[in-house]
Amino acid sequence: MRKIKNKILGSVILIVTLSVTAISALAYEQFSSILEAQALREDTIHLEQTTNQMNHLIDDVQKYAANMVNDELLQRFAARLNYSSTYDELSAYRDVVVQLTKFNVLRDYLESSAIVRSDGKIFWSSLYIDPYFERLLQEDWYQEALKSDAKSGFTAPHIILDPDSKKIVSFFIRFDPQYGGVLLLNIDYTAFESLFQYLGQSFDQVAWIGPGQSLLYQQGAATELPAPTLSADSPDIQVVKHDKGYYLASAFEKSDWSVSTFTSNERFYEWVGYIVRYWAIFLALCLALCFLLFLPIISNIMRPILQMTKAMKQVSMGNYNVQLSFRSNDELSVLKNGFETMLGDIERQMSERVEQERWKRKMTAELLFAQINPHFIYNTLNTVVYLARKKNYTAIEEMVESFIGILHDAVNIGDTSLYITVEQEMNIINHFVTIQKYRYADRFEVIWSVEDEAKGDYIPKSLIQPLVENAIFHGFSEKETVGRIEIIIRKRSGRLLVSVRDDGCGMSQEKARSIMKGTLPPARLPSGAMKQIGLWNIRERIEYLYGQEGRLVIRSSEQGGTKVSVLLPVRQQSSE
């Protein structure tokens, strides 16, 4: 039954697990695409925000530079190539430095600025003329930028010493051709770098790409960027799906710059991983909850069945006093009522059978007790005839009186019970002995040794008489001397001991043990016996009437006599 309980609980857990797994699989299939679109949308928004900020910065730089080249002072300074003296030129340069400084302080991203006149002279905003700046402008970042005919543009990032080493991005803008010259704005590189660093928080890799796919900034492994199939030539966000993740790219307005990002599948499906872990926790909680909820329910269902199983085992062992204590308003209640009804019917039928068997045995015993052996009657009457011929009237009178006493006992059997008093049994035995003494004159003698307080106790009918009869017919049949039969009745500790001892020929100890155990077939009784009652009948009656409290013991030896003892509980009433 415990296996059935485990099977039910296991089936419930299996069904719940399969149901939750199936539902989760469908939900995962549905929500994973939603999450994928959501994650891609969030990445696109982050890239758009950075692109807008970058466009705003580029636009601001361009407009601010355009405003500066329209400054009248700067235009005059860029257009005038000759001065009357060096002092006048330095004086004009000082005024230009003041003006450039005013412009520089209005933008945080501006590190410095410079004017490159058409004659190649360089005037830096730091008010000193250093050959370093002339050498600096001979580098590729500046020369490559001026090769184009563009009026303005950004250069590649480079390093300047002003006075410390700094990484900057320069923006050049040409003055109107009537003035000539170039205005150069040096922008702090961190103004761009901070935007891409912020963008890098949302992606695995970020790349700031310049003209000719030159890499201006990089965050993450360089082997993955840029995507071979990705080219950003429009402000719209381009999305390319790769086996390892997603590439996104966007071009910045008013420049030849672009930005490319990469999100790996691990990062992209990070939320999916959260869902899988959540599903595992959800499944564990569902199983634990099912176990906690279904276990009491299954136990409640199985409890009546367990009770019925135990009850059936008790019934199979012969115990019909079984009670089922559970209450149920379902089919189990029907089974309980049917089981209890069946037990009641079985117990009633068994009681009826026991009662019928008891009455059957009682009637058999009564019939047996009531029947006097016809051979006994014949032998007795034949002896009376013999005594009449001898005219021994005293003996005839004595025998007839004893015979009448025996007949009287037989007639009254049905009116009493299976028990008579010791004194009544003694009278019957005396009648029997009187008759037998006339048949077997001078062959035996009977000696009584009975305690007075035992004479009123009740014993089974015909308990002692067959023992005396056996001693006469079997003990002395082959003995030539006068035999001695001693009948002893005593009370000890609430028990009655009845012993019949003779000094006849006896029997083997093995035969005596067989009689006590009931393994010896009933012996053929002498033809002259008074009733058809043998030792086996006495043993059966003692077992039936007293159970374990009654006991029959035979002590005998060949040529050493026999002693038959019956130990009974004291009974002082005749009713059964």
Side-chain angles (χ1 to χ4, degrees):
M1 194 60 65
R2 184 176 299 173
K3 293 182 178 178
I4 295 177
K5 179 180 178 181
N6 295 336
K7 286 181 179 178
I8 295 175
L9 186 59
S11 300
V12 171
I13 293 176
L14 179 62
I15 292 172
V16 172
T17 303
L18 293 178
S19 301
V20 173
T21 302
I23 294 173
S24 300
L26 294 175
Y28 175 80
E29 183 66 22
Q30 179 66 26
F31 288 107
S32 61
S33 59
I34 296 176
L35 290 174
E36 182 179 352
Q38 178 64 26
L40 185 60
R41 184 163 51 252
E42 290 181 358
D43 287 350
T44 302
I45 292 173
H46 292 156
L47 183 58
E48 286 178 350
Q49 290 175 347
T50 301
T51 301
N52 292 334
Q53 292 175 355
M54 193 69 177
N55 288 333
H56 177 72
L57 178 60
I58 292 172
D59 182 66
D60 186 69
V61 170
Q62 290 177 341
K63 290 181 177 177
Y64 198 65
N67 186 37
M68 290 177 66
V69 296
N70 290 325
D71 184 80
E72 184 177 355
L73 176 61
L74 299 182
Q75 287 177 346
R76 286 201 310 268
F77 183 77
R80 186 173 180 180
L81 302 179
N82 298 312
Y83 288 86
S84 58
S85 63
T86 303
Y87 174 79
D88 291 339
E89 187 174 12
L90 291 177
S91 178
Y93 179 34
R94 185 175 58 250
D95 295 338
V96 168
V97 168
V98 173
Q99 189 68 8
L100 291 177
T101 303
K102 289 180 180 178
F103 281 111
N104 292 344
V105 297
L106 294 179
R107 290 294 184 272
D108 294 336
Y109 50 79
L110 285 179
E111 285 291 330
S112 61
S113 58
I115 294 177
V116 182
R117 290 194 317 200
S118 57
D119 56 357
K121 285 189 176 181
I122 303 171
F123 300 90
W124 214 261
S125 59
S126 53
L127 190 58
Y128 56 84
I129 299 175
D130 192 335
Y132 165 74
F133 295 115
E134 295 181 357
R135 293 193 301 272
L136 181 65
L137 296 185
Q138 297 301 319
E139 295 179 357
D140 293 341
W141 61 270
Y142 183 72
Q143 297 299 324
E144 293 293 334
L146 290 183
K147 285 183 179 179
S148 65
D149 296 331
K151 183 179 180 182
S152 61
F154 287 94
T155 67
H158 56 91
I159 302 298
I160 65 171
L161 300 175
D162 187 22
D164 300 327
S165 177
K166 291 184 179 178
K167 190 174 184 179
I168 62 173
V169 174
S170 297
F171 179 80
F172 71 92
I173 182 169
R174 301 177 191 274
F175 284 96
D176 190 83
Q178 61 179 327
Y179 304 113
V182 175
L183 175 64
L184 193 64
L185 301 181
N186 299 316
I187 305 169
D188 188 359
Y189 180 78
T190 57
F192 302 99
E193 186 182 42
S194 61
L195 296 178
F196 296 114
Q197 287 178 344
Y198 177 77
L199 183 63
Q201 297 177 4
S202 302
F203 296 92
D204 292 313
Q205 299 169 30
V206 175
W208 176 19
I209 302 172
Q213 297 295 316
S214 59
L215 196 59
L216 307 179
Y217 172 84
Q218 177 182 338
Q219 180 175 327
T223 54
E224 301 293 343
L225 286 174
T229 59
L230 189 67
S231 63
D233 53 2
S234 69
D236 297 333
I237 303 297
Q238 298 183 43
V239 179
V240 176
K241 187 175 183 180
H242 193 263
D243 294 338
K244 297 182 179 179
Y246 280 86
Y247 288 98
L248 280 77
S250 176
F252 300 134
E253 297 176 350
K254 301 179 182 178
S255 71
D256 50 0
W257 291 341
S258 64
V259 60
S260 179
T261 62
F262 173 73
T263 302
S264 63
N265 290 330
E266 291 77 10
R267 185 187 184 94
F268 200 81
Y269 292 103
E270 185 177 4
W271 284 102
V272 178
Y274 292 152
I275 293 177
V276 172
R277 287 191 287 273
Y278 174 78
W279 171 81
I281 296 174
F282 176 74
L283 179 60
L285 291 176
C286 285
L287 294 179
L289 190 61
C290 289
F291 183 81
L292 294 176
L293 292 179
F294 280 100
L295 183 61
I297 295 174
I298 295 174
S299 299
N300 189 37
I301 295 175
M302 295 301 299
R303 189 176 298 111
I305 300 177
L306 289 174
Q307 283 192 18
M308 295 182 67
T309 302
K310 292 180 180 178
M312 293 183 68
K313 289 182 178 178
Q314 293 292 325
V315 172
S316 65
M317 297 171 64
N319 180 17
Y320 293 90
N321 188 18
V322 178
Q323 297 293 330
L324 297 176
S325 59
F326 68 87
R327 291 184 178 180
S328 176
N329 295 324
D330 49 20
E331 289 79 1
L332 293 175
S333 179
V334 177
L335 291 175
K336 175 189 174 185
N337 295 333
F339 182 77
E340 290 178 344
T341 303
M342 180 187 69
L343 285 182
D345 294 341
I346 293 175
E347 191 172 15
R348 184 176 62 258
Q349 291 177 3
M350 292 190 66
S351 298
E352 292 175 356
R353 292 191 61 180
V354 170
E355 186 67 19
Q356 291 174 357
E357 185 66 21
R358 189 173 68 84
W359 278 104
K360 180 180 179 182
R361 289 192 179 191
K362 180 179 178 180
M363 294 302 293
T364 302
E366 289 181 350
L367 180 61
L368 182 63
F369 299 154
Q371 291 178 348
I372 298 178
N373 189 0
H375 291 283
F376 173 75
I377 299 174
Y378 171 78
N379 292 334
T380 301
L381 295 177
N382 194 31
T383 303
V384 172
V385 172
Y386 172 77
L387 293 175
R389 290 174 180 173
K390 294 293 184 180
K391 299 182 180 178
N392 190 351
Y393 302 114
T394 303
I396 293 173
E397 181 181 1
E398 190 174 7
M399 280 196 64
V400 171
E401 287 180 352
S402 296
F403 187 61
I404 292 173
I406 292 173
L407 292 177
H408 183 265
D409 174 71
V411 171
N412 292 334
I413 286 279
D415 298 334
T416 61
S417 65
L418 298 175
Y419 302 90
I420 61 174
T421 63
V422 173
E423 188 173 8
Q424 290 174 328
E425 182 76 2
M426 290 174 62
N427 291 333
I428 295 172
I429 293 173
N430 285 331
H431 292 318
F432 173 74
V433 170
T434 299
I435 295 173
Q436 295 303 326
K437 277 187 176 180
Y438 282 104
R439 292 190 58 199
Y440 305 99
D442 300 329
R443 297 288 303 274
F444 66 90
E445 61 178 351
V446 176
I447 301 174
W448 290 93
S449 178
V450 181
E451 293 179 350
D452 292 338
E453 57 269 25
K455 292 182 178 179
D457 294 337
Y458 283 84
I459 61 175
K461 287 182 177 179
S462 300
L463 177 69
I464 304 175
Q465 184 271 332
L467 302 178
V468 176
E469 194 172 64
N470 279 341
I472 295 173
F473 291 137
H474 297 292
F476 308 138
S477 60
E478 298 177 358
K479 192 172 181 179
E480 297 181 354
T481 59
V482 178
R484 177 186 174 91
I485 301 173
E486 187 175 5
I487 302 173
I488 305 168
I489 301 176
R490 295 189 176 89
K491 294 177 69 174
R492 293 290 185 273
S493 303
R495 299 177 72 83
L496 187 66
L497 177 62
V498 178
S499 299
V500 178
R501 181 170 58 191
D502 66 72
D503 56 354
C505 59
M507 68 182 83
S508 64
Q509 295 182 358
E510 181 180 1
K511 183 177 181 180
R513 285 193 295 270
S514 299
I515 294 174
M516 286 189 294
K517 294 180 181 178
T519 57
L520 189 69
R524 183 179 179 84
L525 295 174
S527 60
M530 188 177 76
K531 297 179 180 179
Q532 298 296 326
I533 299 174
L535 284 174
W536 64 272
N537 182 276
I538 295 174
R539 184 182 59 78
E540 291 289 332
R541 282 193 291 147
I542 291 174
E543 182 178 350
Y544 169 70
L545 295 175
Y546 300 99
Q548 297 296 327
E549 296 183 357
R551 187 178 180 188
L552 174 67
V553 179
I554 301 176
R555 296 285 185 270
S556 180
S557 62
E558 295 182 357
Q559 305 304 323
T562 301
K563 180 181 180 181
V564 180
S565 301
V566 178
L567 186 63
L568 305 173
V570 172
R571 187 183 186 95
Q572 296 180 339
Q573 295 180 352
S574 62
S575 59
E576 298 180 38

